Amino acid sequence: MACSRVCLGVLISLILFHKLHASSSLSLSVEKLKEDVIVSSPKPTFTAGFYAVGHNAFCFAIWYTNSPNTLVWIANRDHPVNGKRSTLSLLKSGNLVLTDAAQFQVWSTATATTSKQAHLRLHDNGNLVLLEDSSDNAVLWQSFDFPTDTLLPNQPLRGSTYLVSSRSGSNYSSGFYKLFFDFENVLRLMYQGPRVSSVFWPYAWLQSNNFGNGNGNGRSIFNDSRVVVVDDLGYLVSSDNFTFKTSDYGMILLRRLTLDHDGNVRLYSMKDGENKWSVSGLFRRQPCFIHGICGPNSICSYEPRIGRKCSCSPGYRWFDSEDWSQGCIPSFQLWCNNNTEQKSRFLSLPGVDFYGYDYGLFENHTYQQCVSLCSRLCECKGFQHSTSRSVNGQCYVKTQLLNGHRSPSFTNSFFLRLPYHLHDYDDSPNNNGLVCGRNGVVVKVLERPYVEEKENELVKFILWFAIAFGGIEVVCIFMVWCLLFRKNGMLPREGYVLAAATGFRKFNYSELKHASKGFSEEIGRGGGGTVYKGFLSDARVVAIKRLHEVANQGESEFLAEVSIIGRLNHMNLIGMLGYCAEGKHRLLVYEYMETGSLAQNLSSNSNELDWSKRYNIAAGTARGLAYLHEECLEWILHCDIKPQNILLDSDYKPKVGDFGLSKLLNRNNLNNSSFSRIRGTRGYMAPEWVFNLPITSKVDVYSYGIVLLEMITGRSPTTGVQFTELEAESGHHERLVTWVREKKKKGSEVEPSWVDEIVDPALGSNYVMDEMEILATLALECVKEDREGRPNMSHVAERLQIHEHDLNGLNKD
Ligand SMILES: *[C@@H]1O[C@H](CO)[C@@H](O)[C@H](O)[C@H]1NC(C)=O
Ligand SMILES: *[C@@H]1O[C@H](CO)[C@@H](O)[C@H](O)[C@H]1NC(C)=O
Ligand SMILES: *[C@@H]1O[C@H](CO)[C@@H](O)[C@H](O)[C@H]1NC(C)=O
Ligand SMILES: *[C@@H]1O[C@H](CO)[C@@H](O)[C@H](O)[C@H]1NC(C)=O
Ligand SMILES: *[C@@H]1O[C@H](CO)[C@@H](O)[C@H](O)[C@H]1NC(C)=O
């Protein structure tokens, strides 16, 4: 102990000393977060340094200089270090070590060299390399060999390494999904949860001898080089013959492949100079095939027309209704006595399958035989009965209900075991679906207490000695430094050091107050705040939203949620540039939309909003919402779609605003009565809200349908004056809907089209009849009372896209 102190003291001195002479030692300190970073060269695409992963918790990581929340590599993802006295040091021995609070070594490259010229370098492909000398060939260690959850272009993933997803959108620790080569040389995706694990990609029933069927998706087991790599153009090649082309294949873009925390592999790309990532490919189109996504005893359903969700099996309830991955627990108790047939009843769940965990496959069993088999077995939770392969049928007896999945393509039923007398199990809305604003991300603050060591007298003495000795040395060093500094004008350092990273960032309150000239120019209201126009010091025009009613939320919680919203990037979603959380102030900074909201444009009575613009606004909005519902990492429902929240840029391209805000507002009311559940705006709210039915992505589809009707007819659903023909329905507002429906019903009998009668008079006859009919028909489908009958957003987007530019390439599986 004492010795290690002496050694450390001397060592530090040596490092400092050495740095000046041979420049082979480098030390980055966590306190100098902003200055002590390494920037890639010759292009400053990447930055390496300490990244805050929690309150007083930091990881040494590499990120994009322009997108500082996109980490591509982390040294110590499971062991963050303290915000005080933690350093990354290149020792004279050639070992790169990360020290927590000047006490514990939490990570090192475990390298050694006798060379005096070892140095660290960040290449502009994102590879951090430790080089033995000045030639670029003698690589001692490189980050490309130890990927975390991301592969960069031309970074090979080899047999010995694998990608592991992060725990959640805000927690960078190792999560539950793994991309790796198995012993059969096949690239696979695996769920490795706390209790169970299973491989879910490629399909398990594609046995190895079926691989390599030459259709491009078959896998070969014969090539043992086990390597997969994505190139700059967006082409992925794996040694097992799996290949993948991104939808924007061929363009030189910034690209990355990331195993996201939801278990899907996505390829992202970003245009140079832009700060937006877009998904240009994903491995699994069907999210329900990803194991572990819904937790035990729950059933995942996804259908292009319905969207996706997890719901508890009948008789089960959520373990934690805020976190689907924890699954459901039985709300009953099964009394169990081996070999005595227990009184159970079996509930048929058509089209449901639970993958894996068979107690056994019993051939030639009738349904009754399966029932008695399951009833005699304590562990039996239910069974699948299939009649496809033998006369009597066969049963798959399940001891665990995992990876549950409902699909219309399953022809068999699952028979769920319930206690005989349990009939009125909880099948209420609360037991199903998703509550707006609680989309499964739970953020906890990670504390890193600073550990004070007990020091004994001897250690103290040696320490003082070392300090005194070091002090003298420091004076000498200072003198040498002065000399050097004079000579070179600057202290040399490995790589280029850049102080401020651009992109999504934190603002000071005073800065925003100044930018908005004391919050003087109000440009909008709603969604829990007031929006002001502002001018940043770099001359950018922004919209600053000041939130009300968030008093009880801590800054780190706020930041965690804001940074999730800030990471959502889509050309039809409004971009968030940053936030401010100071004292009671909570502000969000968005890009400014010149043309204002759709609502303003619709009510302005000018003829600016012509037919083609309206059509493109409809299509773009659908794409933005489809992304929120299905493609982005967090499953986000908007819950407040209305013309006020659809903003237009100078080309009238629509961007959806105010998404994700339900997470920031009212979070303290979430556990209260069903009243606080109601979100949204009268006139646009789906009937589910009013009738207390499960809330799914279909609530947004409904509101979107109303917006379409408003764009077509020019009539607002909230002002009833124009609707003299039909008076108010009881219950919720749907006069606009009823009016259009009536017109359609009458109109189909007489020519010309019914559409003529509903079109906004401001359009005159300047519209395309076919497109108008598509839009009006689609709008009526979206506002169906029965949510199952409404299309989902990606389906809407697809149908509207036919008249637009065709995007393809994402339909892999
Ligand atoms: C790999 O795929 C190509 C076509 O993409 C095919 O010609 C070749 O036979 C496949 N190799 C194996 C080993 O299956
Ligand atoms: C094995 O895969 C590697 C990488 O994809 C490829 O270069 C090599 O030609 C393959 N070998 C054979 C025998 O197919
Ligand atoms: C049922 O039998 C199994 C082994 O046959 C045993 O492990 C289990 O403890 C028994 N359960 C009860 C409740 O007796
Ligand atoms: C299937 O089971 C029935 C009795 O349930 C038996 O008579 C029949 O021989 C069995 N068939 C086969 C192929 O085992
Ligand atoms: C991240 O997840 C890990 C593992 O579940 C947990 O131990 C850690 O506390 C989490 N960190 C934060 C900041 O929530």
Side-chain angles (χ1 to χ4, degrees):
M1 168 70 160
C3 168
S4 75
R5 277 287 176 168
V6 178
C7 301
L8 200 66
V10 175
L11 197 57
I12 288 171
S13 311
L14 284 175
I15 292 165
L16 286 170
F17 198 65
H18 197 75
K19 185 173 176 176
L20 299 168
H21 289 272
S23 81
S24 77
S25 290
L26 161 116
S27 183
L28 304 185
S29 136
V30 70
E31 274 109 336
K32 297 197 202 133
L33 210 52
K34 288 273 160 66
E35 310 95 77
D36 270 5
V37 293
I38 306 171
V39 176
S40 63
S41 68
K43 279 196 260 163
T45 315
F46 293 94
T47 302
F50 285 100
Y51 181 89
V53 295
H55 180 66
N56 196 32
F58 296 83
C59 283
F60 182 73
I62 302 176
W63 59 85
Y64 288 89
T65 310
N66 279 337
S67 174
N69 289 317
T70 310
L71 305 187
V72 297
W73 179 80
I74 308 171
N76 56 323
R77 64 194 304 196
D78 293 319
H79 299 280
V81 295
N82 211 292
K84 280 211 180 84
R85 296 169 63 199
S86 298
T87 50
L88 179 84
S89 313
L90 177 55
L91 303 185
K92 196 190 159 206
S93 59
N95 197 5
L96 184 66
V97 298
L98 182 64
T99 313
D100 185 10
Q103 290 173 16
F104 319 103
Q105 182 178 315
V106 298
W107 175 86
S108 83
T109 54
T111 44
T113 177
T114 50
S115 158
K116 299 249 184 295
Q117 285 162 348
H119 65 283
L120 198 60
R121 185 180 186 84
L122 181 56
H123 289 299
D124 61 10
N125 61 2
N127 195 6
L128 183 71
V129 291
L130 184 56
L131 295 163
E132 191 151 18
D133 51 48
S134 47
S135 76
D136 269 358
N137 304 326
V139 175
L140 286 170
W141 174 92
Q142 55 182 346
S143 63
F144 266 23
D145 290 341
F146 302 90
T148 47
D149 64 351
T150 296
L151 275 190
L152 292 170
N154 305 316
Q155 174 184 4
L157 181 74
R158 295 190 191 280
S160 53
T161 54
Y162 42 83
L163 298 187
V164 174
S165 67
S166 61
R167 187 73 175 76
S168 73
S170 55
N171 186 334
Y172 296 96
S173 301
S174 301
F176 298 140
Y177 295 95
K178 191 166 160 181
L179 179 70
F180 69 111
F181 280 98
D182 73 355
F183 61 93
E184 280 188 313
N185 308 318
V186 173
L187 184 66
R188 292 185 184 281
L189 271 172
M190 174 179 186
Y191 169 69
Q192 206 160 22
R195 279 165 292 162
V196 295
S197 63
S198 50
V199 169
F200 60 89
W201 180 86
Y203 294 117
W205 55 89
L206 281 179
Q207 285 307 316
S208 8
N209 50 9
N210 295 338
F211 289 4
N213 53 10
N215 67 3
N217 268 338
R219 305 295 191 87
S220 152
I221 59 171
F222 304 112
N223 188 337
D224 63 3
S225 52
R226 295 186 191 175
V227 55
V228 56
V229 66
V230 189
D231 68 12
D232 289 312
L233 300 175
Y235 190 49
L236 176 148
V237 185
S238 164
S239 56
D240 64 3
N241 232 11
F242 171 67
T243 58
F244 189 92
K245 251 183 205 165
T246 58
S247 59
D248 51 12
Y249 168 72
M251 289 191 261
I252 304 265
L253 302 167
L254 288 181
R255 294 180 185 278
R256 65 188 165 94
L257 174 151
T258 302
L259 172 54
D260 285 317
H261 67 81
D262 66 352
N264 214 340
V265 173
R266 290 181 182 75
L267 288 120
Y268 292 88
S269 50
M270 174 156 77
K271 290 209 178 73
D272 223 352
E274 275 182 23
N275 288 340
K276 288 177 191 304
W277 289 105
S278 49
V279 178
S280 56
L282 66 168
F283 278 14
R284 305 303 326 244
R285 247 337 226 185
Q286 288 272 356
C288 286
F289 282 117
I290 294 174
H291 286 179
I293 202 94
C294 278
N297 303 315
S298 69
I299 302 167
C300 178
S301 55
Y302 175 87
E303 227 196 298
R305 292 176 61 83
I306 293 175
R308 65 180 163 182
K309 67 169 190 185
C310 302
S311 50
C312 287
S313 308
Y316 291 74
R317 59 188 152 80
W318 289 114
F319 180 76
D320 175 355
S321 62
E322 297 186 25
D323 184 0
W324 287 350
S325 69
Q326 306 231 37
C328 309
I329 48 174
S331 35
F332 54 82
Q333 220 175 356
L334 268 182
W335 168 83
C336 193
N337 189 0
N338 278 351
N339 294 324
T340 320
E341 233 178 82
Q342 214 196 121
K343 280 214 160 179
S344 308
R345 55 188 280 267
F346 289 86
L347 182 70
S348 162
L349 305 174
V352 169
D353 188 23
F354 290 90
Y355 180 85
Y357 306 95
D358 295 325
Y359 177 79
L361 165 59
F362 297 88
E363 297 279 6
N364 195 18
H365 270 60
T366 60
Y367 169 77
Q368 268 314 324
Q369 285 172 313
C370 296
V371 164
S372 85
L373 185 67
C374 184
S375 304
R376 262 181 286 131
L377 200 68
C378 283
E379 300 96 321
C380 180
K381 300 284 188 335
F383 62 88
Q384 175 94 45
H385 188 244
S386 142
T387 48
S388 58
R389 278 200 293 169
S390 57
V391 193
N392 282 331
Q394 56 204 149
C395 47
Y396 299 85
V397 175
K398 301 284 176 183
T399 56
Q400 299 216 47
L401 303 181
L402 285 156
N403 310 317
H405 180 189
R406 185 195 305 274
S407 163
S409 62
F410 294 146
T411 48
N412 296 319
S413 282
F414 187 83
F415 297 93
L416 182 73
R417 185 189 197 181
L418 292 170
Y420 190 72
H421 295 292
L422 185 74
H423 283 280
D424 50 346
Y425 46 80
D426 183 15
D427 202 14
S428 68
N430 294 341
N431 207 31
N432 277 298
L434 165 70
V435 182
C436 253
R438 302 199 272 172
N439 302 342
V441 182
V442 187
V443 179
K444 291 194 189 90
V445 176
L446 176 69
E447 290 286 353
R448 299 287 306 176
Y450 176 67
V451 188
E452 283 288 357
E453 240 181 83
K454 287 197 199 97
E455 292 166 311
N456 65 29
E457 291 302 307
L458 178 66
V459 170
K460 254 189 199 161
F461 169 75
I462 293 169
L463 197 60
W464 279 112
F465 177 78
I467 288 172
F469 179 75
I472 297 165
E473 213 171 353
V474 163
V475 173
C476 301
I477 287 164
F478 184 68
M479 283 156 66
V480 178
W481 183 76
C482 286
L483 285 175
L484 267 179
F485 191 74
R486 281 232 191 96
K487 225 191 305 177
N488 301 343
M490 233 196 341
L491 184 69
R493 186 194 266 295
E494 300 307 315
Y496 301 94
V497 175
L498 192 80
T502 50
F504 183 79
R505 73 176 183 97
K506 180 178 175 159
F507 290 89
N508 292 328
Y509 182 69
S510 56
E511 190 180 352
L512 293 183
K513 193 170 173 187
H514 182 246
S516 63
K517 302 200 181 82
F519 302 107
S520 54
E521 197 179 333
E522 182 177 323
I523 52 175
R525 235 169 221 281
T530 313
V531 188
Y532 303 90
K533 190 172 179 177
F535 301 86
L536 297 185
S537 51
D538 59 6
R540 268 186 301 175
V541 189
V542 293
I544 301 173
K545 178 164 198 162
R546 215 170 143 165
L547 300 178
H548 320 310
E549 55 166 333
V550 277
N552 290 340
Q553 197 181 30
E555 184 182 335
S556 54
E557 274 170 298
F558 180 78
L559 170 60
E561 306 212 325
V562 158
S563 67
I564 289 169
I565 305 172
R567 265 198 298 258
L568 296 179
N569 280 316
H570 188 276
M571 65 180 183
N572 297 114
L573 296 181
I574 200 122
M576 189 187 276
L577 306 173
Y579 72 101
C580 162
E582 245 176 65
K584 273 189 173 172
H585 302 299
R586 297 285 182 273
L587 298 99
L588 304 171
V589 182
Y590 293 104
E591 54 184 331
Y592 179 75
M593 291 288 116
E594 291 84 350
T595 317
S597 71
L598 176 60
Q600 286 161 350
N601 281 274
L602 278 175
S603 66
S604 71
N605 284 331
S606 72
N607 292 330
E608 275 305 303
L609 218 53
D610 63 23
W611 172 243
S612 62
K613 281 175 190 152
R614 291 189 197 204
Y615 187 89
N616 283 346
I617 290 169
T621 306
R623 271 198 300 273
L625 288 174
Y627 175 81
L628 275 185
H629 288 174
E630 287 165 32
E631 271 170 42
C632 70
L633 262 179
E634 313 299 330
W635 300 358
I636 287 181
L637 305 191
H638 190 294
C639 299
D640 197 12
I641 298 292
K642 55 183 173 180
Q644 285 79 359
N645 282 335
I646 298 168
L647 299 152
L648 307 174
D649 72 5
S650 51
D651 299 330
Y652 287 86
K653 219 165 56 189
K655 294 190 184 224
V656 177
D658 259 7
F659 50 88
L661 275 193
S662 47
K663 299 178 80 173
L664 294 174
L665 304 166
N666 291 325
R667 67 192 330 271
N668 303 317
N669 296 342
L670 284 175
N671 298 325
N672 288 0
S673 68
S674 61
F675 252 105
S676 66
R677 226 170 73 99
I678 296 190
R679 303 243 158 71
T681 304
R682 277 164 78 86
Y684 299 92
M685 267 159 41
E688 290 97 292
W689 293 113
V690 181
F691 301 123
N692 212 16
L693 293 168
I695 299 306
T696 64
S697 58
K698 293 304 177 63
V699 298
D700 287 348
V701 176
Y702 184 94
S703 310
Y704 172 82
I706 300 281
V707 172
L708 285 193
L709 291 180
E710 193 170 346
M711 275 201 286
I712 294 167
T713 64
R715 298 173 185 224
S716 156
T718 47
T719 50
V721 270
Q722 299 108 318
F723 302 97
T724 43
E725 302 168 36
L726 267 155
E727 258 324 305
E729 306 273 309
S730 60
H732 69 289
H733 292 242
E734 60 157 17
R735 276 163 295 183
L736 176 59
V737 176
T738 324
W739 181 72
V740 175
R741 264 194 207 129
E742 286 299 311
K743 288 287 180 197
K744 181 175 183 189
K745 211 152 99 197
K746 287 193 201 133
S748 45
E749 291 143 27
V750 283
E751 291 293 322
S753 170
W754 57 282
V755 173
D756 275 336
E757 299 197 28
I758 59 163
V759 160
D760 187 352
L763 282 174
S765 56
N766 302 317
Y767 58 87
V768 183
M769 180 57 82
D770 287 354
E771 292 177 4
M772 183 62 92
E773 260 188 42
I774 292 174
L775 215 58
T777 311
L778 204 53
L780 286 180
E781 278 176 40
C782 290
V783 297
K784 280 189 182 158
E785 304 291 283
D786 172 22
R787 63 178 193 281
E788 307 279 312
R790 298 175 208 149
N792 73 341
M793 248 19 258
S794 62
H795 187 70
V796 172
E798 244 164 59
R799 276 165 67 179
L800 292 179
Q801 215 163 279
I802 298 167
H803 295 262
E804 286 199 332
H805 173 71
D806 189 30
L807 285 167
N808 55 17
L810 289 182
N811 303 316
K812 259 286 163 181
D813 63 29

